[in-house]
Amino acid sequence: MYDQYYGFSGRPFQLTPDPDFYFESSSHKKAMSYLGYGLNQGEGFIVITGEVGAGKSTLVAHLMEGIDPAALTVAQVVTSALDGEELIHVVAQSFGLDIEGRDKASALGAIEAFLQEEARAGRRCLLVVDECQNLDFTALEELRMLSNFQLGAHPLLQSLLLGQPEFRRTLAHHPDLDQLRQRIIASHHLEALDADEVEDYINHRLKHVGWDGRPLFEDGLLEALYGATDGIPRRVNQVMNRLLLLGAIEEENSIGTDMLDAVMAEMTADQSRGSREEPSPLSIEPEAAVPAQDQDIDAVPATEVAALLAERDARTADLEAAISELQAAGAQTAQSAPAQIAQDGEVNDALGRIEQRLEEQERSFRHVLTMLIEWLEEDPSREAA
């Protein structure tokens, strides 16, 4: 939605890794240097670690774009909590080998035969294993054993291991991983973006989709955004997506810290959904509560969402009409009966309560609309909707 409103050629802050949006921070530049050095060695392990959302997958996607498939065969594995035998089967499948029903020894034999065939054809093999912090010790040992495969004096398999900081700690301190540690030929920890890099990162992504300065970012916004995200690229993407979506919903041509505060409050509320708080006297009645705030949007049928939005529009119109009537009544009372100042005070109090409820209705409506749009846009099959 917001890409159309602001005239972008695409969505610049998608959460899925896209090498077209690769941004080379100082830490990413160092990581690419280590990767280049490691790949030139053609053996052992290359280790890249970083916080969740630091850009490890985007880094690998960028690396894959520059690889010649005629010279290097790449298999990628995203692990869950695998043991050694499970990992061997997953690795075989990632290389396209049919090992269904085979035991571990047969799977290993198939992998070795495949690696030898690739070597005879003049191709090296690279195994990329993501989320390595989920692997248990036996799986890491199997990876080390795979690195023993050779054709003559030439190693047949090199591995690139990606993981979160706990994986780096495991490698450094696990007493039984000495042999694996000795085979690590390059290692780097991806750092978060600094404040200047966050600004450059946002500008880089926006310019890639044709940003012409609209929306304008008000003074102090990007500094506040850095503080809110700690410079983690995926968090920056999450917040920028919400900011731009809010800007489009509100039809704003500039975005400031007040909008950032509203977005951060909504994201915090999303994370704490499910916890129940005592309703305030001015809260919306239970029958008017929006289910999307208490459950995932996928669980709410589209027809129900449409009905809820229509109901909200009607209730908002009723409240606006009530405000107009109370304002008229207050003005008439002030003109015809100055002695009824106390009654005027009651009218003003009632106006204040209704206006506060209108603001709550507006926030609730905006929250539902934001979640609905995100739900529609996160799956291409829902684009028509």
Side-chain angles (χ1 to χ4, degrees), residues 7-29:
F8 299 158
S9 61
R11 295 175 63 195
F13 296 102
Q14 296 187 79
L15 301 182
T16 52
D18 188 341
D20 289 340
F21 288 94
Y22 175 72
F23 174 77
E24 192 168 68
S25 68
S26 60
S27 188
H28 281 74
K29 186 175 182 178

Side-chain angles (χ1 to χ4, degrees), residues 116-375:
Q116 289 177 348
E117 289 176 7
E118 292 296 289
R120 292 189 180 98
R123 289 185 293 271
R124 294 163 46 207
C125 290
L126 175 68
L127 175 65
V128 180
V129 186
D130 202 354
E131 304 295 349
C132 285
Q133 73 279 351
N134 295 330
L135 295 175
D136 67 14
F137 170 73
T138 61
L140 292 172
E141 269 295 285
E142 291 298 343
L143 286 176
R144 183 186 66 80
M145 294 300 294
L146 288 176
S147 71
N148 289 335
F149 288 149
Q150 290 184 304
L151 184 61
H154 299 285
L156 295 177
L157 181 66
Q158 185 176 36
S159 297
L160 169 58
L161 308 182
L162 309 172
Q164 295 173 21
E166 52 264 39
F167 177 58
R168 187 180 187 87
R169 293 190 290 270
T170 297
L171 286 178
H173 302 297
H174 197 293
D176 298 322
L177 291 179
D178 281 340
Q179 293 188 65
L180 192 152
R181 279 193 290 269
Q182 292 169 8
R183 301 191 184 193
I184 296 174
I185 60 174
S187 177
H188 180 68
H189 182 74
L190 275 178
E191 302 290 346
L193 307 175
D194 63 29
D196 291 335
E197 286 176 332
V198 165
E199 181 173 356
D200 292 339
Y201 174 83
I202 291 172
N203 290 335
H204 168 78
R205 283 186 163 254
L206 286 170
K207 288 176 180 177
H208 192 76
V209 296
W211 177 56
D212 60 1
R214 176 177 174 268
L216 174 71
F217 299 120
E218 297 176 5
D219 291 343
L221 173 69
L222 297 183
E223 291 85 347
L225 180 66
Y226 169 72
T229 61
D230 295 323
I232 301 296
R234 188 182 299 167
R235 294 181 195 168
V236 174
N237 288 3
Q238 288 175 321
V239 176
M240 284 300 301
N241 260 327
R242 287 289 189 101
L243 270 176
L244 291 170
L245 183 56
L246 176 58
I249 291 173
E250 300 287 348
E251 299 185 350
E252 294 285 351
N253 290 321
S254 64
I255 295 177
T257 54
D258 55 337
M259 295 176 68
L260 175 63
D261 292 340
V263 163
M264 296 308 298
E266 287 185 357
M267 293 179 71
T268 300
D270 289 345
Q271 293 171 358
S272 60
R273 266 201 320 248
S275 61
R276 292 288 182 263
E277 296 179 357
E278 289 297 322
S280 67
L282 297 175
S283 62
I284 303 172
E285 291 85 354
E287 63 269 21
V290 182
Q293 293 190 20
D294 292 324
Q295 60 189 35
D296 291 338
I297 191 69
D298 284 322
V300 184
T303 53
E304 185 176 342
V305 172
L308 287 166
L309 294 178
E311 179 184 351
R312 182 165 300 286
D313 289 342
R315 291 179 61 82
T316 300
D318 290 343
L319 287 170
E320 289 174 343
I323 287 176
S324 298
E325 292 176 4
L326 284 169
Q327 287 174 331
Q332 182 177 3
T333 301
Q335 292 175 0
S336 60
Q340 296 183 353
I341 296 176
Q343 184 175 350
D344 286 346
E346 293 177 0
V347 171
N348 288 334
D349 290 343
L351 278 171
R353 288 194 297 272
I354 292 177
E355 287 173 352
Q356 185 170 351
R357 288 184 59 188
L358 268 177
E359 291 176 0
E360 292 175 354
Q361 291 269 14
E362 174 65 22
R363 286 195 298 269
S364 179
F365 170 77
R366 188 175 67 198
H367 182 78
V368 173
L369 185 57
T370 298
M371 293 188 66
L372 179 60
I373 291 170
E374 288 181 343
W375 177 75

